[in-house]
Amino acid sequence: MSSNQSIDDNAIRPLSAELALKAQQELGEVPDRVPKDIEALRSWISKQPHLMARQDAQFLVAFLRGCKYSLEKTKLKLDNFYAMRGAVPELYKNRIVGEKQFSILKTACLLRLPQPLQVDGPRIHVSRYAQYDSNKYSIAEVMQVNTMLGEIQIREDDNAMVSGFVEIIDMKGVTAGHMFQFDVVLIKKLAVLGDKALPYRPKGFHFINAPSTAETAMSIAKSLMSDKIRKRFHIHSKLDTLYQYVPKECLPVEYGGTNGTIQNVVDTWTQKLINYTDFFEQDAQYGTNEKLRRGEPINSETLFGIQGSFRKLDID
């Protein structure tokens, strides 16, 4: 233990027996080696003049799991995670717990369901973009709240960190105003953010109640993906085909399932946001100073190819 690290900073929540086995079999986790890997990351961070990063063990182990314990991949993803704050200011500027964030959450447009797909399975997300008022909020503001929920999951959701997530996108009621907000550059930024900077891995995206206008946005998004991730995108004309991937009972009560009510989910996550008020206030001190980075800076141009070619994405 480093002299400047507290016991809490070194604490890692024990995995359930099922998730521990999965982490060992699929991610290459060796419990006795984890403390050494954590220290290796801390040592590396301390030698990066441009990087101001959190260093508690629970945070770092999430990135190790997301990168299947490749230290080099973990370093790159951690670096990108913080570089994104300067490269995507529309998602990270003024990212605090306030009335706007609560109002967006209370529209129930972003749901993390209480029970995972299986006991050792991925977390289930349900996104309902028609629920927010596109005249009142931008999609960037909604996605900012999404990043906040994601960072709470990094710290609390072992199923998501070990097994990833499946996302159901309910397009019912989506208007032209909502679709207009999904511009090509924003789609590109969100795709890169998910691929290069976040430790949790998508296992499937399932679109339900999709209007024909949504197919254009889907074709743009799919053109940015590798064959492997493209195969994880599904459009369901009937819920029966969704149930082949996400059984009906795994859905909220309002969708005919038994996985909590939408209001329960909103209430749970509203309280979580309240609990993380200080966390997000403190979070503003972390990030990268690209002027101090050795080598090429990481910015909008280098990350998103705004002025150049854009490589296809590949997610493990």
Side-chain angles (χ1 to χ4, degrees), residues 42-250:
R42 287 172 174 162
S43 176
W44 173 79
I45 291 169
S46 71
K47 296 172 185 175
Q48 308 308 309
H50 69 283
L51 180 61
M52 294 76 72
R54 292 184 183 272
Q55 297 187 42
D56 59 281
Q58 188 68 61
F59 174 75
L60 294 178
V61 78
F63 281 82
L64 285 165
R65 287 168 176 161
C67 296
K68 297 184 178 179
Y69 282 85
S70 163
L71 277 174
E72 293 312 305
K73 287 183 179 179
T74 303
K75 292 173 186 176
L76 181 59
K77 186 152 281 195
L78 262 174
D79 201 353
N80 286 338
F81 178 79
Y82 283 111
M84 282 287 179
R85 297 173 183 219
V88 198
E90 60 266 44
L91 294 186
Y92 291 97
K93 187 177 181 181
N94 298 323
R95 197 177 64 146
I96 59 171
V97 177
E99 283 307 310
K100 180 174 68 174
Q101 287 74 21
F102 286 128
S103 295
I104 290 172
L105 190 61
K106 287 176 180 178
T107 67
C109 63
L110 302 169
L111 305 174
R112 267 70 170 159
L113 303 188
Q115 298 303 319
L117 195 58
Q118 304 95 20
V119 66
D120 64 347
R123 182 64 53 194
I124 304 168
H125 298 179
V126 181
S127 297
R128 307 157 73 230
Y129 294 113
Q131 299 303 309
Y132 81 89
D133 185 347
S134 61
N135 294 314
K136 189 174 181 181
Y137 302 112
S138 69
I139 188 63
E141 289 174 313
V142 173
M143 286 301 163
Q144 181 188 76
V145 175
N146 202 45
T147 69
M148 297 170 82
L149 304 187
E151 290 196 33
I152 294 173
Q153 286 181 284
I154 288 173
R155 313 194 76 81
E156 294 190 3
D157 191 344
D158 293 329
N159 280 83
M161 294 307 108
V162 172
S163 300
F165 67 93
V166 294
E167 182 153 358
I168 299 165
I169 299 96
D170 187 350
M171 303 291 285
K172 185 177 182 179
V174 168
T175 66
H178 292 103
M179 295 305 299
F180 184 74
Q181 290 185 356
F182 275 92
D183 64 274
V184 176
V185 173
L186 179 61
I187 291 174
K188 186 178 288 190
K189 287 181 177 181
L190 291 171
V192 174
L193 178 64
D195 177 42
K196 298 187 180 300
L198 299 179
Y200 35 84
R201 293 164 291 131
K203 296 299 185 181
F205 295 92
H206 300 272
F207 289 78
I208 61 174
N209 300 317
S212 57
T213 52
E215 294 182 11
T216 301
M218 278 288 295
S219 65
I220 292 171
K222 292 180 81 167
S223 71
L224 304 176
M225 302 167 193
S226 67
D227 288 340
K228 182 166 60 175
I229 193 66
R230 189 182 297 125
K231 290 175 182 176
R232 296 177 187 166
F233 272 72
H234 310 272
I235 298 181
H236 302 281
S237 57
K238 296 181 180 179
L239 288 180
D240 288 348
T241 57
L242 170 67
Y243 299 153
Q244 296 172 21
Y245 300 90
V246 182
K248 185 176 182 179
E249 61 269 20
C250 294

